[in-house]
Amino acid sequence: DSGVTQTPKHLITATGQRVTLRCSPRSGDLSVYWYQQSLDQGLQFLIHYYNGEERAKGNILERFSAQQFPDLHSELNLSSLELGDSALYFCASTRGRGRLQETQYFGPGTRLLVL
Amino acid sequence: QQQVKQSPQSLIVQKGGISIINCAYENTAFDYFPWYQQFPGKGPALLIAIRPDVSEKKEGRFTISFNKSAKQFSLHIMDSQPGDSATYFCAASINDKIIFGKGTRLHILP
């Protein structure tokens, strides 16, 4: 158990809908990273937050947004969902300001299925 | 230029053998090269990582070899065990962004 929690574990929704994925980092960790994993695209970095502020963006679509709250949990919002958004979404946390040289602890993931 | 190419896609190795996974990159500005291990139903976990000023790093049975001039790096798993059966991802990072290879599914035969 990494200490990172993600909810929900599974999510089934329809095209055009909007969903929110939640991540709670390990106690004391200030950085949260979001990743998308799909069969065709592999593992892709989406976005990184440190202590409530956005630090880096990867291949995140404009339909997707994220935020990190004062209690350091983070939410990833996916809107206008398409079939191709079906994937596993992981978050990871690190203790410090978020240099990637720090070990990232991954959560168990949320499996999203868009029908 | 932001791609990281990983090969092979899948690999079968006998128990006790050496597993070798290769990665290549284009962007010379990458400054950190981690390898992740992922078991089915789990999130990736950092296995070992290297910086470009080092040519080799060893941790237990796992070794990264890094060739800066060729822009290639590889993971060697010595004395491979059935418990090493997993998917392995190489990655390269720059400015807190990380690019992953497509992954290698490794199966160790008992």
Side-chain angles (χ1 to χ4, degrees):
Chain A
D1 183 5
S2 67
V4 177
T5 60
Q6 289 187 249
T7 57
K9 283 189 177 180
H10 304 276
L11 196 49
I12 301 175
T13 188
T15 55
Q17 295 297 305
R18 173 190 168 96
V19 298
T20 297
L21 312 183
R22 183 186 169 107
C23 170
S24 293
R26 293 187 321 153
S27 177
D29 282 3
L30 298 176
S31 277
V32 171
Y33 297 79
W34 284 99
Y35 298 89
Q36 179 194 57
Q37 185 173 34
S38 61
L39 281 174
D40 55 343
Q41 295 292 326
L43 191 59
Q44 292 198 84
F45 164 67
L46 295 178
I47 198 164
H48 166 214
Y49 275 84
Y50 169 71
N51 203 20
E53 292 189 6
E54 181 185 305
R55 291 274 298 174
K57 266 187 176 180
N59 295 328
I60 188 165
L61 300 172
E62 285 191 12
R63 300 183 285 108
F64 296 1
S65 65
Q67 54 184 325
Q68 187 179 26
F69 295 87
D71 67 352
L72 301 176
H73 90 272
S74 179
E75 293 181 356
L76 180 66
N77 300 296
L78 316 176
S79 61
S80 303
L81 284 167
E82 302 175 359
L83 296 178
D85 298 327
S86 296
L88 263 171
Y89 291 84
F90 289 103
C91 75
S93 72
T94 60
R95 183 74 59 183
R97 60 178 294 195
R99 290 296 299 166
L100 279 158
Q101 285 82 349
E102 292 181 71
T103 298
Q104 292 188 29
Y105 294 89
F106 279 75
T110 292
R111 185 174 293 276
L112 173 66
L113 179 60
V114 182
L115 299 175
Chain B
Q1 251 205 340
Q2 294 290 339
Q3 277 191 317
V4 175
K5 294 183 180 178
Q6 183 173 346
S7 63
Q9 202 170 354
S10 62
L11 182 61
I12 299 174
V13 175
Q14 291 280 349
K15 179 183 174 183
I18 302 174
S19 304
I20 301 174
I21 304 171
N22 301 299
C23 286
Y25 63 97
E26 290 293 323
N27 190 342
T28 56
F30 286 132
D31 61 2
Y32 181 64
F33 300 86
W35 284 89
Y36 288 84
Q37 180 189 55
Q38 185 178 25
F39 293 104
K42 302 288 186 183
L46 179 67
L47 187 63
I48 187 173
I50 198 167
R51 301 178 72 114
D53 54 348
V54 176
S55 61
E56 186 176 281
K57 184 174 181 180
K58 184 175 180 179
E59 290 183 2
R61 296 184 295 109
F62 300 91
T63 300
I64 300 178
S65 297
F66 190 86
N67 186 331
K68 192 173 181 178
S69 60
K71 293 186 282 186
Q72 295 175 348
F73 58 111
S74 59
L75 175 70
H76 296 236
I77 306 175
M78 312 300 287
D79 186 27
S80 299
Q81 299 297 312
D84 297 330
S85 296
T87 300
Y88 292 81
F89 295 92
C90 63
S93 76
I94 175 174
N95 297 332
D96 289 356
K97 297 182 185 180
I98 185 166
I99 312 293
F100 290 90
K102 293 284 190 184
T104 296
R105 190 169 291 184
L106 174 65
H107 183 66
I108 307 300
L109 297 173

